[in-house]
Amino acid sequence: MNAVKKGRAFAMAMAGVVLAAVVGVSHAGKIPPRRLVEVVDLSTPDISPDGRLVAYRAERASVERNTYGSVWYVQEMDGNAPPRRVGDGGVPIRDSAGGSFPATAVWSPDGRFIYYRALLDGRVDVWRAAVDGSGSEAVTFDPADVREFSLADDGRTLKYSTGATRDEVARAERSEYDRGIHIDETVPVGAGLFRSSFVGGRPATQRYIGVWFARGPLLGSEPDRWREIDLETGARRVLPQDDPEPEQKPGSVDSAALPVTMFEARDPESGRTAVITRTDGGDRAKRSSLSALSILPADGGRDAVACAAEACTGKAISSVQWRPGGNEVLFTVTDRMAGESQAILRWNIATGEVRPVVAARGFINGGRERSSVCGISASALACVAAEADSPPRLERVDIATGQRRVLFEPNAALARDLEAAISSRLLKWKDKDGKEFTGQLFTGRAGHEGKRPLFINYYHCTGFLRGGVGDEWPLASLAEAGISTLCINAPPLVADPVVRFDGALDAVEAAIELLAAEDAVDPKRVGMGGLSFGSEVALWTAMRSDLLSAVSVTSPSVTPFYYLMNSAKGDMFTSGLRAIWGLGTPEETPAQWKRLSPTYNVDTIRAPALFQMPEEEYMYALDYIMPLMRGQRADLYVFPNEPHRKFQPRHMVAAYGRNFDWFRFWLQGVEDDDREKAAQYARWREMRSAVGAPESHQAVARHD
């Protein structure tokens, strides 16, 4: 690898903590970690056929009930009246990694109702809510959970698909339990085997049913069963297998490849399809975030009309949608070099002209994902807007003028407190090879004279930054408490893993040097944390440099045990392992395993490590966590019934709070005097002694 500055010995880094130790100072902040868990998220606004109303769902965590609640609202697009609650959205439906699926509404043609899927009372049905607020009801009420649905153009009939019934799934689970569970390529080895994770809102047995590690419930691979309901008479009928289904999303691909088609949107009026494709052709070795926009004809031919304007060329186009009643599409560009900020433009297909609609400082789309789309009418958009330092709100955007108006701001109090507590700026820098990077830097406004410690999160910094990818590290809370926080946007992930990780390390080192040169941070007091690829980068940085005083990760890196436990999956796993990490079996590629896996580099990890792992994944990492624990260099917590991304509110509060305590302890010499945390701090003090930190690190301060 390229030379990494190794002059910052760990003992010197820990000595910096002594200089920053705070004694007897109370921290009663405006932004405790729990407030970041309880942010209200808004999902996928949909505008009524007449353009007068917008429907959207608001979702919020309840720590007390350890669940989420959601509500469907309808609001006038002119913003002259508050939103009207029209229906219960139920518990958010999640993917197998723990992320919440976007909630979408379908309007009836007359604009009197919205239809949506909802998980309520342990079942997923299609619900219908009257937009005047007079009531909502389940429409399907099927013995199986609804997978997809569509409303006929005349609004009279509703088609929906299901898989196996809930009773069939429960019987299959119980039968396996009684007879013993046969281990094959579909079984997630290492996770609990019987009703171990929440699927469809209940503890369920899981199976691999998709690409890579995608999971679903037992019998989840059963084919769709389609039915139709006459909404006027209530009559139902089973549709034949060859009945046309609603428009499907682009298909999945092999885990070793990248999809060439990134996004499709069909125009219901003309039948044409707008398509976003990768300019790198799906080649991992040439990985790029740039994409191309084109229109395919309604007859299914491949004679595409490409957007050739400068505004469409060499850009990261992340979504597209058709403007009703015209010959235009609106597309969104997400710019990594502008801090993942978004701009929406409109392309006239007939003339080729592209005009800007709106440019934002952060996200302006339909939710938290960069590919989410706004609600759209002929004249206006309804978008969820969020910046790094400002939580989600609903805005109306005039398509012709770009004028913006806030319609609904459920996080207004948090936004005010964030503005008072922290400052935020977009940081730009280059590494030693001239590669450009961007990141969002948070700094507390009050007190904390002199150079501050720094916490770094590496992966993506999109929309409102509460805890980085995965929501684990309370960035604003740490900044308010005197630890500046930097979230770094990773470039497209290249095929060579060593180049990928060394590039991240170079970016981290260059950022620290830049901020140290500004006298903004103390380079001897730096911590780092991340999820998934961010976890790998954090551990790589700890393995290959002395930049870090403490590290916190939540996802495993590749290990021989990880290979062993997943090898039963066969080619789907091994092809992905080779494509993503360049790894064969440990016997086939021993040198690559020794380069990449922390298992072979435990002795180089000198920074104390906090592991807060989901139950589904922690076992993969035990062959390096356990040696670190034996050497008193690691502390491990495992969260039951959690997938790749934790989502249970109490678990998120616990993870946020412990990360807050961890970095205050190692970077500031601060302890909370809460008696319930006494055992935690006793372990950490023992770790501090074991790694050779001075006794004077035992300074204690209180924070609330």
Side-chain angles (χ1 to χ4, degrees), residues 187-212:
V187 177
V189 178
L193 297 178
F194 177 74
R195 296 179 180 173
S196 61
S197 291
F198 286 94
V199 178
R202 72 172 185 90
T205 298
Q206 292 193 105
R207 289 291 184 269
Y208 293 125
I209 61 172
V211 171
W212 198 228

Side-chain angles (χ1 to χ4, degrees), residues 140-440:
T140 51
F141 214 73
D142 197 277
D145 289 342
V146 174
R147 292 174 172 174
E148 296 182 68
F149 78 95
S150 65
L151 191 65
D153 291 341
D154 60 7
R156 176 165 178 166
T157 58
L158 182 141
K159 295 180 182 179
Y160 70 95
S161 69
T162 67
T165 68
R166 288 178 292 274
D167 285 345
E168 288 171 340
V169 173
R171 285 196 299 271
E173 290 176 340
R174 191 71 219 184
S175 176
E176 276 200 339
Y177 182 90
D178 292 339
R179 294 181 293 106
I181 296 172
H182 178 246
I183 304 300
D184 61 17
E185 71 278 2
T186 69
V187 177
V189 178
L193 297 178
F194 177 74
R195 296 179 180 173
S196 61
S197 291
F198 286 94
V199 178
R202 72 172 185 90
T205 298
Q206 292 193 105
R207 289 291 184 269
Y208 293 125
I209 61 172
V211 171
W212 198 228
F213 284 94
R215 309 180 189 200
L218 191 65
L219 305 186
S221 58
E222 290 287 307
D224 287 338
R225 306 171 183 178
W226 284 92
R227 294 173 174 81
E228 185 178 76
I229 301 175
D230 187 309
L231 297 173
E232 294 184 5
T233 66
R236 300 170 181 248
R237 71 183 183 98
V238 176
L239 297 176
Q241 287 291 98
D242 59 351
D243 194 80
E245 299 179 2
E247 179 185 355
Q248 303 293 309
K249 297 177 182 179
S252 299
V253 297
D254 185 274
S255 60
L258 294 170
V260 175
T261 298
M262 301 170 60
F263 196 98
E264 292 183 355
R266 183 178 179 275
D267 180 14
E269 298 175 15
S270 69
R272 294 173 296 178
T273 301
V275 180
I276 300 172
T277 54
R278 294 181 181 274
T279 58
D280 59 24
D283 186 343
R284 287 185 182 271
K286 302 175 182 177
R287 189 79 177 266
S288 170
S289 61
L290 305 183
S291 50
L293 173 62
S294 58
I295 305 297
L296 300 179
D299 61 9
R302 307 309 295 177
D303 295 330
V305 176
C307 183
E310 182 180 356
C312 298
T313 306
K315 301 293 190 296
I317 303 173
S318 47
S319 64
V320 62
Q321 56 193 141
W322 291 85
R323 185 178 184 181
N327 199 32
E328 287 188 335
V329 295
L330 274 67
F331 63 94
T332 301
V333 173
T334 304
D335 188 350
R336 183 177 68 89
M337 295 314 300
E340 299 281 356
S341 64
Q342 293 188 321
I344 300 175
L345 304 95
R346 54 190 174 105
W347 170 35
N348 186 302
I349 301 165
T351 66
E353 183 180 25
V354 175
R355 293 184 178 181
V357 175
V358 64
R361 188 168 58 88
F363 264 15
I364 184 160
N365 57 31
R368 295 192 66 179
E369 300 299 322
R370 61 164 51 88
S371 60
S372 300
V373 295
C374 301
I376 189 169
S377 69
S379 60
L381 297 169
C383 303
V384 180
E387 294 79 38
D389 56 354
S390 186
R393 61 197 178 275
L394 184 71
E395 293 190 5
R396 180 191 189 277
V397 179
D398 187 280
I399 293 176
T401 67
Q403 182 178 2
R404 300 167 66 172
R405 176 175 181 173
V406 175
L407 298 178
F408 182 47
E409 193 170 11
N411 301 297
L414 176 60
R416 289 192 298 269
D417 288 343
L418 283 164
E419 185 175 9
I422 65 170
S423 64
S424 172
R425 65 175 166 126
L426 177 64
L427 196 68
K428 296 185 178 182
W429 71 99
K430 295 180 181 180
D431 70 6
K432 63 184 186 310
D433 296 322
K435 294 193 292 290
E436 295 181 305
F437 291 88
T438 64
Q440 295 288 345

Side-chain angles (χ1 to χ4, degrees), residues 481-499:
I483 300 173
S484 294
T485 56
L486 175 64
C487 180
I488 300 177
N489 290 300
L493 304 185
V494 297
D496 188 321
V498 175
V499 173

Side-chain angles (χ1 to χ4, degrees), residues 434-454:
K435 294 193 292 290
E436 295 181 305
F437 291 88
T438 64
Q440 295 288 345
L441 180 70
F442 288 170
T443 304
R445 293 189 185 278
H448 317 295
E449 297 298 328
K451 296 180 180 180
R452 304 183 188 212
L454 176 67

Side-chain angles (χ1 to χ4, degrees), residues 70-140:
S70 67
V71 174
W72 279 98
Y73 291 101
V74 169
Q75 187 172 5
E76 302 281 343
M77 278 291 288
D78 61 16
N80 291 330
R84 179 168 55 250
R85 175 176 177 149
V86 299
D88 188 342
V91 178
I93 302 171
R94 297 186 178 275
D95 61 30
S96 61
S100 178
F101 281 118
T104 57
V106 175
W107 283 86
S108 63
D110 59 11
R112 295 173 54 216
F113 300 98
I114 59 169
Y115 294 82
Y116 53 89
R117 277 199 318 155
L119 172 54
L120 285 160
D121 299 324
R123 50 190 303 131
V124 180
D125 284 299
V126 177
W127 284 69
R128 175 173 60 191
V131 300
D132 62 5
S134 59
S136 61
E137 62 179 346
V139 176
T140 51

